[in-house]
Amino acid sequence: MIKIGIEISHGKLRRDILIHPSRYFFIQLSDGLAFLCFKTCNFRGEDIRTHIIDGLAVDEEGNLNSIFQNVIGDAILELQDCNTRSWQGDEFPISSRMKNMISQMPDLADWIISSILTDGRNIILCHSATALNPE
């Protein structure tokens, strides 16, 4: 296994996450549920962890709802319609609608960088993102 690490500043990583979210995010299916995720590893490219990302918003009735729930559901239907095979197991590329949504969420990118990419954690690029989702 060849491990390649690239150093990047907070600002450049933030900009790249917002411009090319499909490089970092994917949909994972687990037990009949779908989640928006990304992966991290330690400085040696080991200890790989999957992180589920979600945001909650209050609806008219005061209930908290996932802001990604509808777009994830639409993405799964789009994948089924296109007969897109998963990259790896139950991991699938994000949809165009999800790319647009994430691209408009700079606070999400800042939160990931400042809260999750700490203590030697590094974000992992989706290995087939450019092959399945050219940008």
Side-chain angles (χ1 to χ4, degrees), residues 18-112:
L18 295 174
I19 294 171
H20 305 288
S22 61
R23 290 181 183 172
Y24 303 94
F25 296 95
F26 60 92
I27 297 170
Q28 181 166 0
L29 300 180
S30 177
D31 297 326
L33 300 173
F35 304 97
L36 177 64
C37 302
F38 71 96
K39 288 186 180 183
T40 62
C41 63
N42 65 13
F43 70 97
R44 294 189 322 215
E46 300 169 346
D47 187 26
I48 296 174
R49 297 181 190 172
T50 299
H51 303 267
I52 296 173
I53 301 298
D54 205 348
L56 300 174
V58 179
D59 66 12
E60 300 86 29
E61 298 171 5
N63 300 315
L64 289 176
N65 294 310
S66 167
I67 61 173
F68 295 117
Q69 183 176 15
N70 289 338
V71 290
I72 289 175
D74 292 345
I76 297 302
L77 291 174
E78 183 179 313
L79 291 171
Q80 289 172 345
D81 288 343
C82 297
N83 293 323
T84 302
R85 294 203 171 135
S86 69
W87 294 337
Q88 185 175 21
D90 291 330
E91 297 175 4
F92 297 86
I94 62 174
S95 67
S96 298
R97 187 171 168 207
M98 291 186 79
K99 288 181 209 174
N100 292 334
M101 187 176 187
I102 293 168
S103 292
Q104 297 175 24
M105 302 177 81
D107 291 342
L108 174 65
D110 287 334
W111 175 77
I112 289 169

